[in-house]
Amino acid sequence: ETVYRVMHTMLTTYGLQHFYWPELRCLKTCCKVFERLVEIKLPVLADHFDHHGLNVGIFALGWFQTLFLYLPSMPTATVCHMWDIWLVERSFKIFFRVGTAILFLSQPILLNHELEGMMIYLNTMPDATLLNPDILLACANQIKVTNRMLEDIEAEVTGQKLRS
């Protein structure tokens, strides 16, 4: 019964039910928003991805669908801290910040790889040092991402009219 209540709360209060709706529309939108955020925050890396035909959604889907549990080298302490922030703030912006921080910290390596090398790196994160909570979360907290920014990007990528 306790597990049921926790899952029910996660799905309803924290909005995870949208991630598992038919066709994964919300999750796909999250990936599109993240891709646009990468274009804004890391334009050189975004151009590199585009040049090599790397769609951000290919690796970001796993990150967002599992709230970063997908990365085998992600330390438990990092995930717990990230989830604590999410549960307190009730905002997904921490996940967008962390994803952007991972790419920012990995940028020197990614810029020296082609498609296959980038995909292997992004799905395995062999340099677990970057995922240390003291490094990753400190970097993530320096990346300005607001709820309004995410809403505006979502409206842009889904073709909805922007609020005034």
Side-chain angles (χ1 to χ4, degrees), residues 82-142:
M82 194 181 350
W83 280 40
D84 285 346
I85 294 167
W86 168 55
L87 293 171
V88 169
E89 292 183 351
R90 292 186 182 202
S91 169
F92 275 79
K93 69 182 174 187
I94 185 61
F95 299 115
F96 288 97
R97 284 180 171 160
V98 167
T100 306
I102 288 171
L103 295 179
F104 174 79
L105 294 169
S106 302
Q107 197 167 214
I109 295 163
L110 294 170
L111 290 173
N112 287 304
H113 281 82
E114 294 196 6
L115 180 62
E116 185 178 353
M118 288 188 288
M119 284 307 301
I120 290 169
Y121 182 86
L122 291 166
N123 284 311
T124 61
M125 294 300 296
D127 185 5
T129 317
L130 300 177
L131 303 176
N132 176 300
D134 296 331
I135 295 169
L136 182 59
L137 295 173
C139 180
N141 285 329
Q142 296 300 312

Side-chain angles (χ1 to χ4, degrees), residues 31-32 34-36 38-39 46 49 54-61 63-64 103:
C31 291
K32 289 177 186 174
F34 182 62
E35 183 171 25
R36 182 69 183 114
V38 171
E39 291 170 359
F49 285 168
L54 177 59
N55 181 320
V56 170
I58 293 173
F59 60 86
L61 185 74
W63 291 3
F64 285 103
L103 295 179

Side-chain angles (χ1 to χ4, degrees), residues 20-37:
Y20 305 101
W21 282 355
E23 301 172 14
L24 303 175
R25 271 186 305 216
C26 183
L27 190 57
K28 290 175 184 176
T29 299
C30 246
C31 291
K32 289 177 186 174
V33 169
F34 182 62
E35 183 171 25
R36 182 69 183 114
L37 189 62

